[in-house]
Amino acid sequence: MKKVLRYVAIALLLAIVGGCVYLNRLLPIITGYAAKNLASAVFVSGREAKDVEEIDLNFSLIRYTSNTVDYENKTVTSRFLWSKSTAAYREGYGVTLLRGITAEELREQRFPKGVLSEGQGKQDSIAQLSLGDSALAERLAPIAKAFVDERAYKGHPFAFVVLHRGGVVAECYDKGIGRDTKLLSWSMAKSFANALIGLMVKDSLLDIHAPMDIPEWQGDGRKAITLHDLMQMQSGLEWNEDYGARSDVNIMLHCERDMGLYALSKPLEHKPGTYWQYSSGTTNIVMRYLRSRFPSEEAFIGYMRSRLFDPLGIVRPVFEQDLSGTFVGSSYLYATARDFARFGQLYLDDGCVDSERILPKGWVDYTRRPAAASGEHYGAFFWLNGNSKFPDVPKDMFYCDGHDGQDIFIFPSHELVVVVLGFSPKPDNVIDFNALLRDILSLTTC
């Protein structure tokens, strides 16, 4: 009996030790998530810290973090058990999670002054969107109110904008949010990476079907991977996108200094182009690669501004970086709801803005072409409705989809763009998008 009890005690001890080791490895993700997202919400979006903690951080173990907001130094420190993480704000760059570096050391790198001041005095995106059909706006007003104010379609929306033929026909914001509030894209940023690639293709700076000259890939099968493979989520690289554990995506976003390097270091599991697997890491590989095509960070930032954001009227968006200087195209772009609507309109208008072609001819058609192994639900950094995920919505709809309910829905057959931003996590509070979009479309003339 004593021997049995000894074995039980040893087993319990090993379980406790193993649990503590795993928890110790999980803690940086818990505190890192809280610090990074609270800091961005406060210093980029201008939201109240209390509201962010009660809404955005009120889940899982994240809700138990103790958060300190330093408004003078523009940092947030989050603590849980024996772990703490700090995130710091820099003008132009937004918020960066500190790993192996102090806020003072981080701030030695300043956003290029010339680029930062370019948006000053320009007409902003709010003014650039005209009002649409007043009769349609009147019909949609009850839906907007029911959705945002009454939560009739579930979820917790912060912002809701509908464009019809380029004009605003519905717009509504949650308490504390307004037209000029920059909100988090999450994975909608991947679609902006699609636009940047398209611009560089148009300017003869890229060939998306050529193998990429990434040094770390030249000694094995990864050397065959193309930008096309990455955009269609068919790189074949090993990846775990589970947000609920110590997965690749969580390690990348909350523990790594160079997110693109972490993702591109993954081994090849499948032949490129033959297996579909959603991976946020692929977009950070892409953003790291795009930056390498320019002689300096200032040149790359200037290119993004002059070739993409300025033509769309998106003034001073915040595209956050990791510690290596790579823009986090998987997740961290902040812009207004109207900014995101203008981006959706660009794709509705076949890559043109006010009759001026921005993206290459045929680029939107390429974007909407299903990845071979995706089951017709994914194109090139855009989602598709080819598999009728939304059964009451036309199959020609394509969309940008971000974590926790950030979406830009584009309807070619209805000349419609619908933007939803907020905090609507799966599975307990997910928005009934099928019903929302169905009801909007029922009031819209094709």
Side-chain angles (χ1 to χ4, degrees):
M1 185 65 179
K2 289 183 179 180
K3 186 178 291 187
V4 172
L5 291 174
R6 187 180 305 116
Y7 287 146
V8 170
I10 292 173
L12 286 174
L13 180 61
L14 290 174
I16 292 171
V17 171
C20 289
V21 169
Y22 179 77
L23 181 60
N24 189 58
R25 298 176 69 214
L26 193 62
L27 287 176
I29 295 172
I30 295 170
T31 56
Y33 182 100
K36 160 66 188 67
N37 287 281
L38 179 56
S40 292
V42 170
F43 299 120
V44 178
S45 300
R47 296 173 59 200
E48 294 292 330
K50 181 180 178 182
D51 290 342
V52 179
E53 290 179 314
E54 291 180 351
I55 300 170
D56 308 53
L57 304 184
N58 190 19
F59 69 97
S60 186
L61 294 176
I62 307 295
R63 64 166 57 94
Y64 300 117
T65 58
S66 174
N67 308 300
T68 302
V69 181
D70 184 336
Y71 290 93
E72 181 178 355
N73 294 307
K74 294 189 175 181
T75 63
V76 169
T77 298
S78 298
R79 295 175 173 83
F80 181 66
L81 298 179
W82 57 85
S83 175
K84 73 174 182 177
S85 295
T86 299
Y89 171 84
R90 292 175 294 165
E91 187 177 11
Y93 289 116
V95 169
T96 305
L97 188 59
L98 304 181
R99 292 294 182 230
I101 189 173
T102 66
E104 292 72 23
E105 291 170 329
L106 179 68
R107 289 183 177 130
E108 290 178 2
Q109 179 189 13
R110 301 194 192 307
F111 199 82
K113 287 186 178 180
V115 179
L116 188 61
S117 62
E118 282 179 3
Q120 301 287 359
K122 286 188 176 182
Q123 185 182 31
D124 62 35
S125 59
I126 295 172
Q128 288 197 24
L129 283 176
S130 61
L131 295 179
D133 177 33
S134 58
L136 177 57
E138 186 175 345
R139 294 197 299 271
L140 289 175
I143 290 180
K145 177 177 174 57
F147 177 42
V148 177
D149 295 340
E150 301 166 9
R151 310 281 192 266
Y153 297 87
K154 298 190 291 188
H156 192 135
F158 295 159
F160 174 60
V161 175
V162 180
L163 302 185
H164 183 242
R165 296 172 181 167
V168 177
V169 290
E171 188 169 24
C172 196
Y173 296 92
D174 194 23
K175 178 183 176 182
I177 307 293
R179 288 184 181 178
D180 59 348
T181 303
K182 293 181 175 69
L183 294 170
L184 175 59
S185 66
W186 279 121
S187 288
M188 295 196 305
K190 294 177 172 70
S191 300
F192 283 76
N194 168 293
L196 288 171
I197 295 168
L199 290 168
M200 293 177 69
V201 168
K202 187 171 185 287
D203 293 338
S204 301
L205 299 175
L206 291 175
D207 178 354
I208 63 171
H209 297 292
M212 301 166 70
D213 53 345
I214 294 179
E216 291 85 352
W217 288 356
Q218 299 313 301
D220 54 55
R222 295 176 298 178
K223 66 182 179 182
I225 297 173
T226 66
L227 274 170
H228 170 71
D229 295 326
L230 290 168
M231 293 172 70
Q232 292 202 327
M233 299 291 181
Q234 297 186 153
S235 68
L237 294 173
E238 174 190 283
W239 191 258
N240 180 350
E241 189 76 10
D242 180 8
Y243 282 85
R246 187 177 160 81
S247 61
D248 289 324
V249 66
N250 278 333
I251 293 170
M252 176 183 71
L253 291 177
H254 306 110
C255 302
E256 294 296 319
R257 295 171 58 91
D258 189 330
M259 298 183 191
L261 179 61
Y262 173 78
L264 69 83
S265 299
K266 289 293 180 179
L268 197 65
E269 280 194 327
H270 306 276
K271 181 181 177 182
T274 65
Y275 183 82
W276 189 89
Q277 182 175 21
Y278 187 78
S279 164
S280 287
T282 62
T283 319
N284 292 330
I285 296 171
V286 167
M287 293 302 294
R288 190 177 192 266
Y289 182 74
L290 298 187
R291 163 63 184 85
S292 73
R293 315 309 286 180
F294 290 83
S296 67
E297 178 182 273
E298 183 172 0
F300 183 42
I301 295 174
Y303 185 86
M304 288 194 290
R305 292 296 175 92
S306 65
R307 298 288 283 111
L308 178 60
F309 295 124
D310 287 352
L312 290 176
I314 298 177
V315 178
R316 300 186 73 178
V318 177
F319 208 158
E320 294 178 330
Q321 290 185 335
D322 66 12
L323 287 169
S324 77
T326 297
F327 290 91
V328 187
S330 66
S331 313
Y332 294 152
L333 173 64
Y334 285 77
T336 70
R338 286 192 168 204
D339 289 339
F340 288 122
R342 288 284 288 179
F343 181 77
Q345 190 69 37
L346 171 68
Y347 281 78
L348 182 64
D349 291 340
D350 192 37
C352 297
V353 176
D354 299 329
S355 75
E356 178 186 355
R357 176 154 294 284
I358 303 299
L359 299 175
K361 188 173 182 178
W363 186 257
V364 175
D365 288 338
Y366 161 73
T367 294
R368 297 173 59 193
R369 192 173 304 136
S374 74
E376 297 192 354
H377 71 272
Y378 203 80
F381 284 161
F382 272 78
W383 292 87
L384 312 175
N385 196 37
N387 64 344
S388 296
K389 177 181 179 180
F390 305 99
D392 297 322
V393 171
K395 283 193 173 186
D396 71 343
M397 186 266 283
F398 61 113
Y399 60 110
C400 318
D401 183 46
H403 191 52
D404 290 337
Q406 328 307 316
D407 287 275
I408 305 171
F409 298 101
I410 304 163
F411 296 87
S413 58
H414 286 70
E415 301 180 88
L416 197 75
V417 174
V418 178
V419 173
V420 174
L421 304 169
F423 181 71
S424 306
K426 301 175 183 178
D428 54 329
N429 199 30
V430 64
I431 294 169
D432 187 350
F433 279 119
N434 182 67
L436 173 66
L437 298 174
R438 178 199 63 210
D439 292 349
I440 293 170
L441 292 170
S442 70
L443 301 176
T444 306
T445 303
C446 295

